[in-house]
Amino acid sequence: MRVIFAGTPEFARVALERLHAAGLAIPLVLTQPDRPAGRGMKLQASPVKAFALQHGIAVAQPRSLRLDGKYPEDAAAAKSAIEAARADVMVVAAYGLILPPWVLAAPRLGCLNIHASLLPRWRGAAPIHRAIEAGDAQTGVTIMQMDAGLDTGDMLLAAGVAISEADTTGRLHDRLAELGGRLIVEALQQAAGGRLQAQAQPAEGVSYAHKIDKAEAAIDWAQPAAAIARRIRAFDPAPGASATLAGETIKLWAAQALPDAGGAPPGAIVAAGPAGIDVGCTPGLLRVTELQRPGGKRLPAADFLRGFELPPGRRFD
């Protein structure tokens, strides 16, 4: 089976690595154009591109796939490359470009998407973040036959994983990436044998994982402590939850909800010690156990407090 792979970040690279290790023919990889990154803002290849080049796989980086869009020359070149690849299927994982109808119809078996949720729960751009933020007990990966809708295609394979109270988006991402890589290999093996069965998504239980906005990183202390703790985990490693303290924007990386013993005002610091910094919420207390000052490192609360005094009466904005 000849497979075109379309993906960009680390989640997609894991899937590409599994497909390559399974011995599938991959004549072409599509990935986003190189982006500036790091302190020097130098152009940096995506994880998918780096893997493809390391293994001698042809790479195309169109800015768009729309033949009638802003970059028709990119789309035309990509169309030629896709046609020349003579692929049976295209596997898509966190690619970052919308696939127009001509792409969906190009491979014999169409386009299969590795989606990091149990559809129809959390269609959209940020399913891992939103599952943690919402307090879901379970998520997973769905291999989906792509259509013109937003994650609305038929389901082909799915497997679930539990979400623990210690899971951050980073930790859960890694587990789901491994699961996605295993499932897509299994799906293509079943497709090769004519055993892959499609199932329409249920009409009930649809939710949308909207893209994370940086403005969401600011903590609202009038929210319940349990909800804030989930958001801190959901926004680790990016964009990171934040709050203003004594004029500084402090990143909050780990916290746990505590029972509200005294009804402290939202944002008020009730106690600060080696175990953490207890902050009033509505309701509950939030014990923040890992923090970071601008330009500094992520530190346990005990180390953070050695360089940041918190006298009585101090509060987060």
Side-chain angles (χ1 to χ4, degrees):
M1 183 173 288
R2 294 174 63 81
V3 181
I4 294 174
F5 187 85
T8 299
E10 178 63 17
F11 181 88
R13 186 207 63 80
V14 173
L16 177 59
E17 181 180 4
R18 299 298 177 269
L19 292 170
H20 184 267
L24 291 157
I26 307 171
L28 178 65
V29 158
L30 302 175
T31 191
Q32 287 272 342
D34 297 357
R35 306 291 190 200
R39 291 188 176 181
M41 295 301 286
K42 295 181 180 179
L43 288 178
Q44 184 171 316
S46 72
V48 164
K49 178 182 178 180
F51 181 89
L53 294 180
Q54 182 182 358
H55 293 85
I57 303 172
V59 174
Q61 297 178 270
R63 291 168 291 180
S64 170
L65 291 168
R66 292 185 50 137
L67 295 168
D68 59 349
K70 185 176 180 181
Y71 304 105
E73 66 282 3
D74 284 32
K79 188 172 188 295
S80 296
I82 289 171
E83 290 173 348
R86 297 179 289 108
D88 297 292
V89 66
M90 180 184 291
V91 171
V92 182
Y95 178 30
L97 289 183
I98 294 174
L99 303 189
W102 73 262
V103 177
L104 297 174
R108 177 175 62 87
L109 298 176
C111 300
L112 307 188
N113 180 241
I114 307 171
H115 186 73
S117 81
L118 295 175
L119 292 169
R121 180 71 165 164
W122 300 125
R123 296 172 178 172
I128 303 176
H129 300 77
R130 299 306 183 189
I132 292 176
E133 184 182 24
D136 290 1
Q138 185 184 43
T139 187
V141 170
T142 304
I143 306 299
M144 177 192 68
Q145 185 80 50
M146 296 181 72
D147 60 15
L150 176 61
D151 299 329
T152 55
D154 289 349
M155 301 179 294
L156 303 172
L157 281 180
V161 298
I163 302 176
S164 78
E165 292 188 359
D167 274 328
T168 64
T169 286
R171 292 172 185 165
L172 187 56
H173 164 281
D174 292 349
R175 299 212 309 277
L176 293 176
E178 291 292 336
L179 177 59
R182 178 175 64 80
L183 281 186
I184 191 60
V185 170
E186 182 180 341
L188 294 184
Q189 289 171 342
Q190 290 188 22
R195 304 187 310 276
L196 196 59
Q197 300 294 319
Q199 179 182 356
Q201 293 187 37
E204 300 79 24
V206 175
S207 57
Y208 289 92
H210 297 287
K211 185 177 179 180
I212 302 297
D213 190 314
K214 288 184 178 180
E216 295 181 72
I219 293 299
D220 178 3
W221 297 103
Q223 296 294 312
I228 296 174
R230 291 196 304 268
R231 175 164 287 198
I232 289 171
R233 291 190 292 115
F235 287 13
D236 181 358
S242 63
T244 304
L245 180 63
E248 289 190 30
T249 299
I250 306 296
K251 291 280 189 179
L252 312 180
W253 291 113
Q256 62 187 94
L258 303 175
D260 186 356
I269 296 173
V270 176
I277 300 169
D278 296 349
V279 188
C281 305
T282 310
L285 287 174
L286 187 76
R287 174 164 291 173
V288 183
T289 57
E290 187 176 357
L291 308 91
Q292 181 181 12
R293 297 179 73 174
K297 298 179 180 179
R298 293 168 60 148
L299 296 174
D303 294 336
F304 178 86
L305 290 171
R306 290 191 182 99
F308 200 111
E309 290 188 13
L310 289 177
R314 185 65 58 87
R315 63 187 299 168
F316 284 95
D317 293 344

